[in-house]
Amino acid sequence: MLRNLCCKLAILLFCCTSFANKAAAQKINLPPAIRQLIAQQCHTCAQLPAGQDSVVSRYFHQCHVAFIDSGNLDDGFKYAATITAITDSTAIVPRLLTTRFLKAKILYFKDFYKEALSEYLKLVAIPSLDSNIQANIYPNIAEIYLEQGQFNKSLEYLHLVKRKYFHFYDPAVARKILNNTGVCLLHLERLEEAEQNFSNSIDIAAALKDTTALVNSYLNIALLYDQQFRYPQEWNYLQRALSLARKASDLKIRSKVYLNMAIVEERRGRLKEALAYRKEYEDVEAQIANRDKIWELAQQEKKIAIQQQELKMQLLQQENKLRAAESKRRQWQRNTFFVLSLFFLSCAGLIYFAYRQTNRQKRIIAEQKDKLELLNETKDQLFSIVAHDLRSPVHHLKINLSYLKDALSRNKIREATALSENIEKISDNTYALLNNLLYWSLGQTGQLSLQAAQHDASMIVAQVAYDFNAGAALKRIAINNEVPKGLYFYGDMNTIKIIFRNLIDNAIKYTHANGSITITGHIVDSRCEIAVQDTGIGMDEKIIQAIHKRDTKRIQHDTTGTKSTGLGLWLVKAMTEKNGGSLRITGSVGAGTRIVVCLPLKEHYDATESADPGR
C-alpha cells in the first residue's frame, strides 16, 4: 500500500514538473541572441528593401511580432504556416529556417508535442542551422521526451545540452535544465545524482526569486526523499512548497501541490486534512478549466487557406474596382434604407404617442367616473346610516317624553324627574351617535386620521355600557361587563367606542325583556378578543351568510317587530378592519348571538374598509 502511494506521488510530481516548465515557457522568453538574429533577418525591422519576396517579408515580420512581442500564439502560427505553405519547405534559407523554428516553438507552447518534436528533429539535422537556435531547441526536445516518459532519451539530450551549450543559457534556463535532469535521474532511480541536480536547481531558483520554479524543485526533492523513506525531510519540503504555492499565481503548480499534500496526508492517516487538500485541489482545477481555451489546429489551417485566397484576390485590381463600386452602391442602398426606416419609425412613434394620449384620457375619464360613483355610494351610505343610528335613540326619546307627559299630568314629580334624567342620557347618547357618524363620514372621504394607542378594554367597554344602561333598564336587560382589568389592545379609542356602541345597541334591540348581555375578553394567539353575547332571538346560518354578502333581501325583525337594514354590523366590521382587526359572528335561532371583535395587541394597521354589511 505504501509503495502504491509512492508511485502515485511520483506520477503526480512528474506532471508538476512538466506543467511548471510549460508555465515558464509561456512567458515567450527567447534569448537575446535569437531575438537579434530574427531582427537581422526581418527586412522591416532592419529597414531593408522588401525585394521580390515582399509577401514573405511582411508575414515574417508579422509572425515574430505576434509571437514574441504580443504573445499571440494563434496569429504567430498562422503567419509562420502561411510562409511555409507558399515557399519551398525543403529550402535551407536562414530566414525560412528561423520561420520553421518559430512554428515548431509555437507548437511546443500549444502542447502539440508530437508535431513540435518532428519539426525540431528535422531542424537539428540541418548542419547550417544557427548555433543559438540549436541551443534553444535541444532543451525543448529533452522536455518533450520527458513528457513522453522516455527518460533515457531525455537524459541523453540534457547531457548534450550541459556539455555543449550550457554557457549559452541564462540562470532561469540553466535551472530548468538542472531540474529536468534531476527528474530523469529520479525516474531512473539514480537518486544521489538526482538530489545534486535538484539542490543546484533550488539554489538558482532561490537566487532568481522564482516562486514557481522553487515550488517545482521542492516537490521534486520531496519525491526523492519519499523514495528514500526520509519522511521528515519530505514533509519539510512539502510544507515549504505549500507555503510558496499559496502565494503563487501559477494555478497548475498550486493544484499539484494540493494533490501531493492530499496523498501524503492520506498515507499518514490524517483523512480530514487530506480531504481539505483535495477540496482545494478540485477548486483550483475548476479555475484552470474555466480559464484555458482549447486551440484547434484544424481551424487555423482553414484560416490559412482563406488567407491564401485573399492574397490571390488582392492581385486582381479590376475586381477590386468592381468591389469598390458595389460597395458604394450598397452604401447608397443602406443610406436610403436608413432614411426610410427613420421616417417610418417617426410615423410609428407619432401614432404610438397619439394612442398613448388617447388611452391616458380614457383612463382619466374612467378614474373620474369611479370616483364619482364612490362619492355617490358614500353619500347614500351616509344617509342610510344617519337614519339607522338616529332611529333608535329618537324612538326612546319619544317613549320617555310620553311617559314624562303622563307623569306630569298625574303630578308625579319624582317619576318625572327620573324620566327627565333618562331623556338627558338618551340625548347625550344621541349626540355621541352623531359625533360617531361624523367620524364615519370622515373615514369614507379619506379624511379620518386614526390616533392609535394602547387602551384598557375593560374601561372602554364600561364607558360604552354606561351610556346604554337607561335603554337596557326599560327592557329590564342586565349588561354584565366581565372584561378583566389590565386587558389591553392597540387601536383608536373613538372608532373602538363606535364598535361596542353598535354591538351593545344591537344586543338590546334583539334581546327580549328580562334577558342579559355579557361582555367578556381574553388573549388568543397574540390578539385581544372581546365577545358580546346576548340571550336574544339569535340568527340562523342563512342570515349570517346574508350579512357577509350584504344581502338586503334577508332582513330580520327585532323584539318590537322593527325591520333591520343590516347596516349596524357593517359599520362595526369596517371600523374593526380599520384598526387592523377582524369580526366573527356565531349564533342560532332562539339561542342568542355571539359577536367577537379581534383587535391587535401591538401596532398593526391595514386600514382597509369592508363593503360587507352587518346586522
Side-chain angles (χ1 to χ4, degrees):
M1 182 65 179
L2 181 61
R3 194 62 183 173
N4 289 337
L5 285 172
C6 291
C7 292
K8 290 181 180 178
L9 188 60
I11 293 172
L12 292 172
L13 285 173
F14 168 62
C15 294
C16 277
T17 302
S18 303
F19 282 125
N21 293 337
K22 172 80 185 304
Q26 287 289 1
K27 297 177 181 178
I28 320 298
N29 186 20
L30 293 181
I34 293 181
R35 289 176 176 268
Q36 184 179 0
L37 175 65
I38 293 173
Q40 291 174 353
Q41 294 176 351
C42 178
H43 290 177
T44 302
C45 295
Q47 296 183 352
L48 298 175
Q52 295 181 351
D53 54 348
S54 59
V55 175
V56 174
S57 298
R58 184 170 70 253
Y59 281 124
F60 181 80
H61 175 74
Q62 293 172 336
C63 174
H64 76 76
V65 168
F67 171 46
I68 300 174
D69 297 340
S70 303
N72 190 330
L73 303 183
D74 293 347
D75 286 346
F77 180 82
K78 178 179 67 176
Y79 293 122
T82 302
I83 292 173
T84 57
I86 63 177
T87 57
D88 184 5
S89 60
T90 61
I92 56 174
V93 178
R95 187 168 61 183
L96 182 57
L97 294 178
T98 303
T99 303
R100 291 173 59 187
F101 162 72
L102 294 176
K103 179 181 176 182
K105 197 74 174 177
I106 295 171
L107 289 169
Y108 167 76
F109 283 157
K110 298 299 290 185
D111 292 344
F112 290 94
Y113 294 128
K114 182 178 178 181
E115 293 80 1
L117 181 60
S118 175
E119 289 291 332
Y120 279 150
L121 293 177
K122 291 177 183 178
L123 285 170
V124 297
I126 299 174
S128 61
L129 185 65
D130 185 87
S131 58
N132 289 290
I133 294 179
Q134 289 182 348
N136 192 268
I137 286 176
Y138 282 121
N140 287 170
I141 294 176
E143 288 175 20
I144 293 173
Y145 280 132
L146 180 59
E147 282 285 339
Q148 295 176 348
Q150 300 185 49
F151 306 113
N152 285 316
K153 280 192 174 183
S154 178
L155 192 60
E156 176 184 348
Y157 278 95
L158 288 170
H159 284 328
L160 174 63
V161 166
K162 294 171 71 175
R163 186 174 66 253
K164 294 183 60 176
Y165 302 102
F166 204 74
H167 62 282
F168 280 83
Y169 307 123
D170 58 28
V173 178
R175 183 215 62 80
K176 184 165 60 174
I177 292 171
L178 290 171
N179 183 75
N180 290 345
T181 303
V183 172
C184 291
L185 292 170
L186 178 62
H187 283 278
L188 295 174
E189 297 184 354
R190 294 162 62 178
L191 302 183
E192 293 183 1
E193 297 173 71
E195 183 177 3
Q196 183 61 42
N197 280 275
F198 287 148
S199 298
N200 295 336
S201 174
I202 289 173
D203 293 339
I204 298 175
L208 294 173
K209 296 182 179 180
D210 187 342
T211 302
T212 301
L214 202 55
V215 171
N216 180 56
S217 297
Y218 283 160
L219 290 176
N220 287 330
I221 201 165
L223 173 59
L224 185 143
Y225 288 141
D226 182 86
Q227 293 193 2
Q228 293 177 336
F229 305 103
R230 296 163 63 180
Y231 296 128
Q233 294 90 334
E234 174 196 11
W235 182 250
N236 178 41
Y237 276 99
L238 284 176
Q239 287 293 324
R240 292 164 70 179
L242 178 63
S243 176
L244 291 176
R246 290 187 187 277
K247 304 175 185 178
S249 59
D250 190 337
L251 294 179
K252 292 185 178 179
I253 194 68
R254 193 188 307 172
S255 167
K256 298 309 172 183
V257 171
Y258 289 147
L259 184 56
N260 279 272
M261 291 297 297
I263 292 174
V264 173
E265 291 286 14
E266 287 175 0
R267 184 186 66 197
R268 299 174 68 190
R270 294 159 54 99
L271 299 181
K272 183 177 180 181
E273 290 77 4
L275 183 60
Y277 284 122
R278 284 198 176 272
K279 181 64 173 63
E280 290 184 318
Y281 161 74
E282 292 172 358
D283 291 343
V284 175
E285 283 296 308
Q287 294 180 42
I288 294 172
N290 292 334
R291 182 197 65 186
D292 293 345
K293 295 181 180 179
I294 300 175
W295 184 77
E296 298 182 2
L297 185 59
Q299 186 65 29
Q300 291 301 323
E301 294 293 343
K302 291 181 180 179
K303 290 182 180 179
I304 293 168
I306 294 172
Q307 185 66 32
Q308 291 174 349
Q309 292 298 323
E310 290 177 353
L311 290 174
K312 294 179 181 178
M313 295 296 291
Q314 290 175 1
L315 299 177
L316 304 176
Q317 296 181 357
Q318 183 62 36
E319 198 166 317
N320 286 341
K321 292 180 181 180
L322 293 175
R323 189 182 296 111
E326 180 68 16
S327 177
K328 289 181 180 180
R329 186 181 66 84
R330 290 181 179 179
Q331 182 67 33
W332 180 84
Q333 290 178 343
R334 283 195 296 269
N335 292 340
T336 304
F337 176 76
F338 176 76
V339 171
L340 291 174
S341 299
L342 186 62
F343 172 75
F344 285 118
L345 285 174
S346 300
C347 293
L350 291 173
I351 293 172
Y352 178 71
F353 177 76
Y355 172 76
R356 287 288 301 272
Q357 289 295 106
T358 303
N359 281 348
R360 182 172 176 272
Q361 292 176 356
K362 289 181 179 179
R363 186 169 62 252
I364 292 173
I365 292 172
E367 290 175 354
Q368 292 175 345
K369 179 181 178 182
D370 293 339
K371 288 180 180 179
L372 288 174
E373 291 178 354
L374 181 61
L375 289 174
N376 286 330
E377 183 180 353
T378 302
K379 179 196 68 176
D380 295 340
Q381 291 173 354
L382 181 60
F383 289 154
S384 299
I385 292 172
V386 168
H388 171 262
D389 280 349
L390 288 180
R391 182 178 57 188
S392 177
V394 170
H395 176 69
H396 289 316
L397 281 174
K398 180 180 179 182
I399 293 174
N400 277 273
L401 287 172
S402 176
Y403 289 161
L404 177 62
K405 180 180 179 181
D406 181 65
L408 291 174
S409 65
R410 290 186 285 110
N411 200 23
K412 294 183 177 182
I413 303 302
R414 182 175 297 178
E415 183 178 348
T417 301
L419 287 171
S420 64
E421 290 177 354
N422 285 339
I423 291 172
E424 182 180 4
K425 292 178 182 179
I426 294 172
S427 299
D428 291 339
N429 189 30
T430 304
Y431 175 78
L433 286 175
L434 289 172
N435 192 42
N436 291 338
L437 288 173
L438 174 63
Y439 274 101
W440 182 88
S441 63
L442 290 175
Q444 293 297 307
T445 56
Q447 303 177 50
L448 178 62
S449 176
L450 301 183
Q451 301 296 325
Q454 200 172 43
H455 300 288
D456 189 327
S458 177
M459 184 179 297
I460 297 294
V461 171
Q463 292 175 0
V464 175
Y466 178 80
D467 294 337
F468 285 93
N469 283 333
L474 293 175
K475 295 180 69 174
R476 296 182 300 281
I477 295 173
I479 301 178
N480 304 315
N481 180 11
E482 298 180 2
V483 179
K485 294 183 179 180
L487 180 65
Y488 290 95
F489 64 88
Y490 199 90
D492 176 67
M493 183 174 66
N494 292 319
T495 55
I496 297 301
K497 285 185 177 181
I498 292 173
I499 292 171
F500 290 113
R501 184 175 288 112
N502 276 277
L503 293 179
I504 294 174
D505 182 57
N506 276 349
I508 293 172
K509 287 193 297 183
Y510 289 94
T511 300
H512 293 290
N514 299 316
S516 64
I517 300 170
T518 303
I519 307 170
T520 59
H522 52 284
I523 303 298
V524 178
D525 295 332
S526 301
R527 294 175 72 84
C528 176
E529 292 194 356
I530 302 173
V532 179
Q533 172 77 55
D534 62 47
T535 58
I537 62 177
M539 292 184 288
D540 58 21
E541 187 63 29
K542 292 182 178 179
I543 294 178
I544 294 175
Q545 293 297 325
I547 289 173
H548 289 293
K549 295 179 180 179
R550 198 176 182 182
D551 185 358
T552 56
K553 295 180 181 179
R554 291 190 176 275
I555 58 177
Q556 193 177 21
H557 296 79
D558 61 16
T559 57
T560 63
T562 304
K563 293 182 179 181
S564 169
T565 62
L567 293 174
L569 282 182
W570 174 81
L571 181 59
V572 170
K573 195 170 189 297
M575 292 301 179
T576 302
E577 291 176 352
K578 277 184 174 291
N579 283 276
S582 60
L583 198 68
R584 191 166 66 249
I585 304 173
T586 57
S588 59
V589 177
T593 302
R594 176 182 173 85
I595 301 177
V596 181
V597 179
C598 302
L599 296 171
L601 295 178
K602 298 179 180 179
E603 183 174 7
H604 173 71
Y605 270 84
D606 210 0
T608 47
E609 291 189 33
S610 172
D612 297 334
R615 187 167 74 179

